[in-house]
Amino acid sequence: MNDSYGFDMKQMSNELTLLIELLKTTNGNNIGVTNNEYLKKTDWDQFLQLTMYHRLHPLIYLKLKDLECEYIPALVMQRLEQEYKKNAYEMLKLSGEMGYVSELFRENNIRSLFLKGPVIALDLYGDVSLRTSKDLDILISLNDLDKTREILLKCGYEKEEVLTPLGNKVGRMLAKDENYVHPKKGTIIEIHWKLHPYSLNEPDFEELWGRKRIKNFGNYPIHFLGEEDLFLFLVAHGARHGWFRLRWLLDIHQIMSNQINTEGNSSILKKIDHRHLVWGVNYLGQAIILTSMLFDTPINGAVQSITERNGAKKLAKKTLIHLSWQAQLKNTPSREYLDKSPARYTFSIMPSNQKIIFLMRLFYPTTSDVETLTLPKSLQFMYIPLRPFLGVWRKTGKLLK
């Protein structure tokens, strides 16, 4: 692992180090694991737990299969093979639904951009089975939201209802998506009208549509984000969640290695409007530092300048520390987990304006508040001052019937 930024990578567990080293290997090139140093000392139960947590089991199965090493327990390979086959089936199933929904929207004149799912797996890894996804995230124009709801409901999807005590209009302003579940197919669709929550300066749908790309899945053309838009979306998504899954960083590595750096001296920075990077340039630098350190991602001179920012370095260090803690907390004792939990860590790396919005959001009533105490519409403004008390009420088990 690259330690040129002065971080101590030795604090990472053997299992996390092995996971990262395997992700850097290519067929016939076992680099960091050829001497079996990591394999001999591995706690395989912990390794499996990390692999599943970081959603990397499809790739890790193929990497370990290539190794054919005596130190890898047969039960570990069997479990990984099962998970690999299960994911391949689910991704093929999701691919079929993606084509169906895309065509359905096209027939009804609804423009749609797929944000993640099988199309991103194919774009980044060349194979839909090499990335995991539990649902389809689809961005539409807000103007098409009502029509989209109607069509999905007609096709058997059921909307996950979220009670909004202060009205649907306020709830829509605070939200960015809504979920639909098909009870027979078992598929989940997230309909987005914004890329990010609480964002004021992200590009509008027309801009994103103008830069879209198309991939064919069978007979269905699938529209998805342009290269730079996808890169920034994944950076902002990973930063918002504190990069607590390595898979998100591996996505960034794939984009930078496979696409952006193949353009020679042409840097992505020349194409990106930083006003649309919701989480700021430091978070872009954070992502680049992390991929460089963990996966030896090559970066050119123009990108390198962003990684020299002190803010980017501090954010990257926090993430590395958190990844190390995660790998060492097997059963997460309550006190230790509270001190090192993803929520606490994620809040600590938020920019100031996002922290303010997050704290304000805590005072907005939730579905749980409505379920705890039902108020008539004329009194629903009281949910705001009552919210702390309703929370305590739930925690103590004294729910109002």
Side-chain angles (χ1 to χ4, degrees), residues 236-301:
H237 176 271
R240 189 169 74 249
H241 293 286
W243 300 108
F244 66 82
R245 292 202 199 282
L246 280 174
R247 189 193 70 182
W248 298 331
L249 284 170
L250 193 64
D251 289 344
I252 301 301
H253 165 75
Q254 290 295 114
I255 293 177
M256 295 190 68
S257 299
N258 296 347
Q259 300 170 358
I260 295 167
N261 278 282
T262 60
E263 299 174 3
N265 295 325
S266 177
S267 166
I268 189 173
L269 297 182
K270 296 178 182 178
K271 301 179 180 180
I272 291 175
D273 181 352
H274 289 158
R275 292 174 301 172
H276 292 162
L277 183 55
V278 176
W279 280 66
V281 178
N282 280 339
Y283 291 89
L284 175 59
Q286 175 199 26
I288 296 171
I289 289 173
L290 290 170
T291 56
S292 174
M293 293 188 67
L294 297 176
F295 305 123
D296 299 332
T297 309
I299 54 178
N300 60 36

Side-chain angles (χ1 to χ4, degrees), residues 145-249:
L145 182 56
D146 290 336
K147 189 197 300 187
T148 300
R149 285 172 175 162
E150 181 181 350
I151 290 170
L152 289 176
L153 292 174
K154 283 183 179 178
C155 292
Y157 277 90
E158 297 177 355
K159 183 175 180 291
E160 288 188 355
E161 293 298 335
V162 178
L163 299 176
T164 53
L166 301 185
N168 289 328
K169 189 173 183 180
V170 176
R172 185 180 293 184
M173 289 173 60
L174 293 171
K176 65 179 177 64
D177 56 50
E178 54 190 31
N179 291 355
Y180 293 82
V181 180
H182 199 294
K184 292 184 178 179
K185 297 180 180 180
T187 49
I188 302 172
I189 293 178
E190 284 190 12
I191 296 297
H192 296 247
W193 52 89
K194 292 193 298 183
L195 290 176
H196 311 287
Y198 321 129
S199 59
L200 300 175
N201 60 343
E202 66 178 51
D204 62 28
F205 183 83
E206 295 301 328
E207 290 181 69
L208 296 171
W209 182 259
R211 297 192 290 263
K212 69 183 181 298
R213 289 179 288 166
I214 303 176
K215 278 191 183 295
N216 290 319
F217 274 68
N219 297 323
Y220 302 113
I222 305 299
H223 300 94
F224 66 114
L225 293 175
E227 184 177 309
E228 293 76 36
D229 291 320
L230 177 62
F231 179 75
L232 289 185
F233 170 69
L234 293 177
V235 166
H237 176 271
R240 189 169 74 249
H241 293 286
W243 300 108
F244 66 82
R245 292 202 199 282
L246 280 174
R247 189 193 70 182
W248 298 331
L249 284 170

